[in-house]
Amino acid sequence: MKRKLLLFTAVFLMLLTLLPACDAQNAGSLKSITRPYIAQYECIEAKFGEENYLEKFDYIKLTLKDKENMEICYKLKNGERTIVKSKYDFDVESKRLTADVGILGYKFKQSTIIENGKFTISKSIGGKQLVMKFKAS
């Protein structure tokens, strides 16, 4: 049960982080002109309350595959790699990304805004604050 809760929390947290970013590395390419936010994003910091939550994972990555499909890929320490596929919408003018993810029978929807290829998600869960920081890799 504890492992399921940890996995559930990890996927839920990843859902909250679904944001695209403009990346200077892609400047000049067709992708950067049309959909610069389609990229891979890596979690660089995750805290749940006072706990360094990122220590529990080898990695947490979010990849926007095309204009509507995304994947959340993570690997718990001493665990197997897990991939969760989902859909998202992105408003270019407002830089707002809205994503839906289903995991363990629950569906979550989160909307957020990104600036300079970085974003931070902050959400209260069970009386503790979850803070996750991502950046384009």
Side-chain angles (χ1 to χ4, degrees), residues 68-110:
E68 63 183 30
N69 296 295
M70 65 176 210
E71 290 182 351
I72 302 167
C73 181
Y74 63 91
K75 183 178 179 297
L76 284 166
K77 299 270 185 193
N78 302 317
E80 293 184 20
R81 178 178 173 208
T82 302
I83 297 175
V84 177
K85 295 181 180 187
S86 188
K87 301 277 185 191
Y88 76 93
D89 291 311
F90 183 70
D91 183 310
V92 176
E93 290 182 24
S94 67
K95 297 182 182 175
R96 179 174 299 277
L97 179 126
T98 304
D100 290 308
V101 172
I103 184 74
L104 300 175
Y106 295 95
K107 189 169 187 174
F108 300 96
K109 186 171 190 170
Q110 182 68 36

Side-chain angles (χ1 to χ4, degrees), residues 115-132:
E115 293 183 292
N116 301 320
K118 297 178 183 177
F119 57 92
T120 300
I121 298 297
S122 183
K123 181 80 172 171
S124 180
I125 301 172
K128 289 185 180 181
Q129 197 69 19
L130 170 69
V131 177
M132 296 182 78

Side-chain angles (χ1 to χ4, degrees), residues 47-61:
K47 289 190 175 190
F48 188 52
E50 297 298 317
E51 181 182 5
N52 179 356
Y53 208 63
L54 198 55
E55 286 180 345
K56 297 180 183 292
F57 297 85
D58 286 334
Y59 58 83
I60 302 172
K61 297 178 183 178

